[in-house]
Amino acid sequence: MRDFPALTTPRLHLREIVAADVPALFAIHSNTEAMRWFGADPLQTLQDAEKLVEMFASWRKLPNPGTRWGITDRANGQLLGTCGLFRWNRNWRSCAIGYELAPAAWGQGLMHEALNSMLDWGFEHMALNRVEAQVHPHNTPSIKRLEALGFVREGLSRQAGFWLGEYRDLLQYALLRNERPPLSGATTP
């Protein structure tokens, strides 16, 4: 996993998150509504967004690495959000999934398209058998998205998260390799 694994879908380009993305990341991650279910408090400064770019880049260097893609519109290159596979346990062939999208891009099926491509890549290139997701029980759009991708609800983790000043219960979902539909057809450029 030396070179960044850029991915292309019919409407999107998934690419490395870079310093030029700081303003767009800040716009998303400082928006209380966009961060309502993300699992972290909204960012307060552009410097916080710079640290986020650095953190995502560091994932590729950790003992249990991950990859976070910037989701961009192929037509205009605009950063719409991010998605990633992280907490990769190579021995167990498992990892976790995370994602967020700018409110202006909600409801267009863009995240489904991005996650399909990312999951295809993860199962193929990371030799994954299991991808886990945690989602707030009231985050209905994310629950529907995960279930449409084939994720299965496994249970409830009580007070597993803490953000916006409250402990949050989280639903546990997972997708196994043998439950994954055939590859979606996304390509690496």
Side-chain angles (χ1 to χ4, degrees):
M1 288 183 42
R2 290 184 198 137
D3 295 326
F4 194 87
L7 306 172
T8 301
T9 74
R11 297 181 292 170
L12 304 170
H13 183 63
L14 281 63
R15 57 149 175 86
E16 188 169 13
I17 300 166
V18 296
D21 295 323
V22 165
L25 274 177
F26 181 71
I28 296 167
H29 284 258
S30 64
N31 180 311
T32 303
E33 182 62 20
M35 293 293 98
R36 181 177 178 195
W37 308 121
F38 186 70
D41 291 339
L43 298 182
Q44 299 300 311
T45 67
L46 281 173
Q47 291 75 25
D48 293 338
E50 290 170 356
K51 290 176 186 173
L52 192 60
V53 170
E54 293 169 8
M55 182 185 73
F56 290 153
S58 76
W59 285 5
R60 297 187 43 79
K61 301 171 189 161
L62 298 172
N64 291 323
T67 301
R68 193 77 175 201
W69 286 267
I71 303 169
T72 61
D73 185 317
R74 281 184 63 185
N76 62 23
Q78 178 184 2
L79 185 77
L80 305 172
T82 76
C83 61
L85 298 167
F86 60 101
R87 284 189 277 160
W88 183 18
N89 185 326
R90 292 175 195 229
N91 291 331
W92 289 6
R93 297 181 178 192
S94 66
C95 72
I97 187 175
Y99 48 88
E100 87 287 337
L101 200 59
W106 292 354
Q108 301 172 41
L110 297 170
M111 187 56 74
H112 187 87
E113 188 173 317
L115 294 180
N116 249 327
S117 178
M118 182 187 71
L119 288 166
D120 287 351
W121 183 88
F123 281 113
E124 182 178 347
H125 295 282
M126 295 169 69
L128 295 173
N129 181 61
R130 177 182 171 87
V131 178
E132 298 177 355
Q134 289 186 311
V135 61
H136 190 282
H138 295 230
N139 188 350
T140 304
S142 190
I143 291 168
K144 288 179 180 177
R145 180 177 308 113
L146 290 170
E147 290 175 350
L149 289 164
F151 281 77
V152 175
R153 181 177 169 179
E154 296 181 328
L156 177 74
S157 298
R158 296 177 306 132
Q159 296 186 4
F162 183 83
W163 69 94
L164 297 174
E166 295 181 27
Y167 288 101
R168 312 288 179 142
D169 294 345
L170 297 172
L171 296 174
Q172 178 70 36
Y173 277 81
L175 175 65
L176 304 179
R177 174 186 284 275
N178 65 1
E179 297 168 343
R180 179 81 177 130
L183 296 178
S184 68
T187 60
T188 53

